[in-house]
Amino acid sequence: MKKLTVKQQKEQIGKMIIAKMTGGAISANKDGSVMTKPIFNDMPDILESKVLEDCLAWLKSNRIFADRNNVGEGQLGCSDAYYRFGIKNGGDIIGCLPNGRHFEIECKRGRGGKWSKGQQERCVELRENNGLYFLVHGTEELEYYFRDLI
């Protein structure tokens, strides 16, 4: 068998991670995004903003350091200057476990959502550098992923 290049190896690892996080579906849309679905069948269909709010509250109640990652760009006031803020493609929540390990959480609505190509690449990069990246559709999934971490 022909040896894979480093780039091909990273692509294979990325496809495995994406398959695991999307319930086996790795067929991408034209823009490279994939549709997600919850890992539990009985997840309530709630908006992404509510999932985010609930996850931040759960992390705070478990004394885990985490902050909301707001991302955007635009002009401020009458200035001609154009500003960008936040970490592009970073998770909706960024934090640090008590042992110092970095994590990011990407929140999607209860029934599932679209995981962009940039977010998928961020997930792979973070995991390659010993960081944690979670895609959640509610606090039930968050509790499941964090069960052995806290």
Side-chain angles (χ1 to χ4, degrees), residues 36 38 44-48 51 107-113 136-138:
T36 68
D45 185 24
I46 56 177
L47 295 175
E48 181 177 327
V51 173
C107 298
K108 298 295 178 195
R109 68 180 300 149
R111 69 170 184 235
V136 300
H137 301 86

Side-chain angles (χ1 to χ4, degrees), residues 24-80:
I26 59 170
S27 58
N29 297 321
K30 286 183 181 180
D31 62 358
S33 64
V34 293
M35 299 307 292
T36 68
K37 60 182 180 180
I39 61 173
F40 301 116
N41 292 330
D42 57 350
M43 296 287 287
D45 185 24
I46 56 177
L47 295 175
E48 181 177 327
S49 58
K50 179 68 173 146
V51 173
L52 177 61
E53 178 186 324
D54 292 348
C55 288
L56 283 168
W58 186 90
L59 291 164
K60 184 177 182 179
S61 71
N62 284 278
R63 304 178 83 177
I64 298 171
F65 175 73
D67 285 312
R68 168 80 168 99
N69 177 37
N70 288 310
V71 179
E73 58 188 346
Q75 292 178 301
L76 293 176
C78 299
S79 168
D80 287 339

Side-chain angles (χ1 to χ4, degrees), residues 109-125:
R109 68 180 300 149
R111 69 170 184 235
K114 208 183 242 191
W115 195 27
S116 75
K117 180 128 177 93
Q119 291 169 336
Q120 295 168 47
E121 291 168 353
R122 174 84 178 178
C123 171
V124 171
E125 287 175 18

Side-chain angles (χ1 to χ4, degrees), residues 95-108:
C96 185
L97 292 172
N99 65 5
R101 196 163 181 198
H102 173 85
F103 69 86
E104 295 185 16
I105 300 168
E106 179 61 33
C107 298
K108 298 295 178 195

